[in-house]
Amino acid sequence: MFKKPFQSKPQSALRESACRQLAHEAQSTFHEFTAQPGKLQTQKFVSHIGDKGDIISSSTDPLWIRTTLPNTSNMVLVPTVYTQWQHPRMLPILWTWPVVIEKLVGGADLMTAGLVVPPGGLPVVTKGSLVAVCAHGEMAARAVGVMDVDTREIREVVGAKGKAVRVVHTYKDWLWEAGSKDEPPEIPVDSVEEARVADVEKSADAEMDALLMTSLKQVMATVLDEKHTGEQLPIAASTLFSTYMLPNAPRNAELDVKKSSYKKLAKFLKAMEKHGLLGLKDIRGEMHIKSLNWTHADLRTYTPYSVKHVVKEEQAPAVEKTQKGNMIELEELLRVPPALRPLFDDVNGNPESGYMTRQQARYVLEAYIKRHNLVDTRNPRNIRVDHLVCDGLLTKDETAKLTFYPRDKLQQRLQERMILCTRLTVPGNPPVVRQGRPPTIDIVCEKKMGNKVVTRVMGLEVYGVDPASLAKELRVACASSTSVDPVPGKKTVSVLVQGHQVKIMTRLLNDRGVPTDLLKVTDKSGKAKK
């Protein structure tokens, strides 16, 4: 609202009764606001986009804005950042990253993907309510805005679309410039709130720690038992987690190493090794389980629970999640170039859709040859070339020198001159025809920072694959951290997962209906595939 200069009328003093009424309104509207009425001035303003209202100021700073907000028709009292700094808990607080704060100061709204979710979750704020936006870990508001969505509807922020907050006023905008231009103060985070969040986080960590331990013991007692597991060892750490521990978790429990105190699968397994349940071994830079201790005291006293479906990796049937009817379909088509349109029009060979198959193109040329009696009577394998054939299929030198041309080479020349197209049919979407060959989904495995290996996939949007959903499933299947990042210079994003995960990524894309032919794998890691 104030990212550009605004027009305003001269200030006038606010009456004492109006000041008392304003203080009463603020105390009844905003949480923990206890300021007493003082001497204030008011002035009317019109923003660069036509928003109108009143600015209420002290002798040094603008303190309040009274204006209409998006999706509302009534005038609403909005605190400025100066007021929010004096009473940091008067509005619900949402956190975002410092780099996003720079975008807000530049005039952007806060997108859902830019939110930082604290350990205790987002505060419950309904659509249309005022909120303060702070940099992650701080309490001094950098922006004040109105919620564009109910926070209870926000399930995931990674890759989420849409606006979370419509910004009304920010630090360093033109309204801030009208005040003392103070920098945001250092406001300590409420120690009670810190303790509450720490208790919630500690409790959640302990619960997930217990679930991980229980799942591992369940696997050792039932699936990877002492009688049937000797030949399967060593097992990759990610395989142990995704193929065995996840399907054998307690009913209605979802394993997530990041929600435990370990934060990483490797740290959990090292703790289990120290506990004596298993032994670890590094193979080509990847952690493997080399042994399992079935004589451990924890297993002697452990009672397995029933699991609805347990499948060993070697016995798992090769069944696609996606049925054949839901697979992405690709069909090669041809389009007539301008030079060949007269020839095709001569035999009514131009289809209404503008596209045809290679076989249909062959039939059109044969029909033209037959209609104009172009077959060489002395050698049926040769075709007499007329002006339309010359214009569409032959070069200038060939036109000047040749009277006849081999039929098979003429057909080959026709296929080469036609414009190649691809019809792409993604389940649930209408077919789309693109010129050229279908774009590939690029899977690149490469080293980062020494021996650290990451796997990145790009080009998902063309085939209707949701990057955020794939990142979430990869995080569980690989027991590794994932991220969704924009690709520099392109209007697309990439999904990155830690480790050499080409095999798992290929399987998940196949499950979403993407044929393996569309996957282009580039391995720059120098490690063996998983």
Side-chain angles (χ1 to χ4, degrees):
M1 187 177 290
F2 299 98
K3 68 178 180 179
K4 292 185 178 181
F6 59 92
Q7 299 177 3
S8 61
K9 293 187 176 182
Q11 289 185 340
S12 60
L14 204 62
R15 294 181 179 179
E16 291 186 7
S17 59
C19 291
R20 289 194 297 271
Q21 185 178 356
L22 176 67
H24 177 74
E25 180 183 356
Q27 291 171 5
S28 60
T29 303
F30 301 107
H31 179 61
E32 294 188 10
F33 182 82
T34 57
Q36 297 299 316
K39 294 182 178 181
L40 301 174
Q41 289 83 35
T42 181
Q43 63 183 141
K44 295 190 176 295
F45 76 91
V46 179
S47 72
H48 69 286
I49 56 175
D51 291 325
K52 299 179 181 180
D54 299 316
I55 298 173
I56 302 170
S57 308
S58 66
S59 58
T60 56
D61 298 317
L63 301 179
W64 303 95
I65 313 160
R66 193 184 294 278
T67 186
T68 55
L69 297 178
N71 303 321
T72 63
S73 56
N74 298 326
M75 300 290 279
V76 178
L77 190 64
V78 181
T80 67
V81 291
Y82 291 110
T83 303
Q84 182 70 17
W85 293 344
Q86 297 298 320
H87 309 278
R89 295 170 185 83
M90 65 185 297
L91 289 177
I93 293 177
L94 296 181
W95 280 281
T96 188
W97 305 109
V99 67
V100 179
I101 292 292
E102 296 176 8
K103 302 292 185 182
L104 303 186
V105 172
D109 290 323
L110 178 60
M111 309 303 287
T112 304
L115 293 172
V116 176
V117 181
L122 294 171
V124 177
V125 187
T126 58
K127 181 177 180 179
S129 299
L130 290 170
V131 290
V133 180
C134 301
H136 181 47
E138 298 181 2
M139 292 290 289
R142 302 299 182 97
V144 176
V146 59
M147 288 298 300
D148 203 45
V149 64
D150 194 314
T151 55
R152 290 170 292 190
E153 298 176 4
I154 300 175
R155 306 299 181 191
E156 187 77 25
V157 297
V158 177
K161 297 181 180 180
K163 294 180 180 180
V165 178
R166 293 185 182 270
V167 174
V168 177
H169 155 58
T170 69
Y171 154 72
K172 283 192 175 181
D173 68 4
W174 286 89
L175 183 61
W176 174 86
E177 289 275 355
S180 57
K181 303 180 184 179
D182 289 340
E183 293 296 315
E186 292 186 8
I187 302 173
V189 179
D190 190 347
S191 58
V192 176
E193 178 68 13
E194 281 185 328
R196 184 192 70 80
V197 171
D199 289 343
V200 171
E201 187 174 4
K202 186 176 180 180
S203 175
D205 287 352
E207 183 179 354
M208 186 56 65
D209 290 354
L211 283 174
L212 290 170
M213 172 77 86
T214 300
S215 299
L216 177 60
K217 291 191 289 187
Q218 175 73 12
V219 168
M220 292 176 63
T222 58
V223 186
L224 297 179
D225 56 19
E226 189 172 6
K227 295 180 181 179
H228 305 95
T229 310
E231 296 180 357
Q232 295 176 254
L233 297 174
I235 298 174
S238 59
T239 301
L240 173 71
F241 184 79
S242 61
T243 305
Y244 298 103
M245 290 180 63
L246 285 178
N248 288 281
R251 186 171 298 177
N252 298 326
E254 182 178 346
L255 297 185
D256 190 341
V257 180
K258 284 194 170 184
K259 294 181 180 179
S260 70
S261 63
Y262 305 106
K263 305 304 178 187
K264 294 183 178 180
L265 180 62
K267 192 173 180 181
F268 164 71
L269 292 176
K270 287 179 181 178
M272 295 302 100
E273 182 182 39
K274 188 175 181 180
H275 188 61
L277 276 173
L278 49 81
L280 300 175
K281 180 181 181 181
D282 186 84
I283 300 178
R284 294 187 296 274
E286 183 184 353
M287 181 178 287
H288 283 67
I289 289 81
K290 67 175 182 179
S291 61
L292 296 170
N293 183 10
W294 292 283
T295 62
H296 195 280
D298 287 359
L299 285 178
R300 289 200 300 268
T301 59
Y302 178 73
T303 303
Y305 48 82
S306 60
V307 177
K308 186 175 181 180
H309 183 63
V310 178
V311 179
K312 294 185 179 180
E313 184 181 36
E314 286 72 17
Q315 298 174 346
V319 177
E320 293 282 331
K321 289 183 181 178
T322 306
Q323 299 299 320
K324 187 174 181 180
N326 292 328
M327 293 291 289
I328 292 173
E329 296 180 5
L330 298 173
E331 182 182 2
E332 185 182 73
L333 297 175
L334 300 177
R335 185 158 56 85
V336 182
L340 281 170
R341 285 175 187 167
L343 188 152
F344 277 69
D345 288 338
D346 188 80
V347 289
N348 296 320
N350 276 315
E352 293 183 3
S353 65
Y355 303 97
M356 62 180 63
T357 64
R358 290 190 180 276
Q359 189 63 31
Q360 289 170 335
R362 291 180 63 88
Y363 287 154
V364 170
L365 181 56
E366 290 296 332
Y368 182 83
I369 292 171
K370 182 178 180 180
R371 178 174 181 178
H372 294 278
N373 297 317
L374 300 180
V375 178
D376 185 358
T377 56
R378 291 176 297 178
N379 184 0
R381 293 184 178 181
N382 290 335
I383 302 300
R384 179 170 52 85
V385 293
D386 64 3
H387 68 287
L388 291 184
V389 174
C390 290
D391 293 344
L393 298 176
L394 302 186
T395 65
K396 291 183 178 180
D397 290 342
E398 290 171 336
T399 300
K401 296 177 181 180
L402 300 177
T403 305
F404 294 94
Y405 201 83
R407 183 195 294 257
D408 57 345
K409 291 185 178 180
L410 200 63
Q411 286 286 4
Q412 182 180 351
R413 184 69 62 85
L414 174 70
Q415 301 291 328
E416 294 171 354
R417 294 291 175 88
M418 297 290 283
I419 300 173
L420 177 64
C421 300
T422 303
R423 176 185 286 150
L424 173 65
T425 305
V426 177
N429 296 313
V432 177
V433 178
R434 297 173 177 268
Q435 185 169 322
R437 299 192 178 278
T440 58
I441 292 179
D442 296 322
I443 301 176
V444 180
C445 195
E446 56 190 347
K447 284 186 178 181
K448 295 287 185 183
M449 294 182 294
N451 277 334
K452 185 177 181 182
V453 178
V454 297
T455 306
R456 187 188 305 273
V457 59
M458 294 164 283
L460 300 169
E461 296 87 349
V462 175
Y463 298 103
V465 178
D466 180 25
S469 174
L470 179 64
K472 183 177 181 180
E473 193 166 351
L474 279 169
R475 184 164 60 247
V476 175
C478 304
S480 301
S481 60
T482 61
S483 64
V484 180
D485 307 304
V487 179
K490 298 182 179 180
K491 295 181 179 180
T492 183
V493 298
S494 66
V495 176
L496 183 142
V497 59
Q498 300 293 329
H500 196 301
Q501 312 293 359
V502 173
K503 184 177 179 180
I504 294 177
M505 190 173 287
T506 300
R507 174 173 59 81
L508 293 180
L509 289 172
N510 290 157
D511 291 346
R512 284 165 167 76
V514 180
T516 304
D517 294 343
L518 292 176
L519 306 180
K520 180 183 177 182
V521 178
T522 305
D523 194 342
K524 302 178 182 178
S525 67
K527 293 187 177 183
K529 293 183 179 181
K530 287 173 64 174

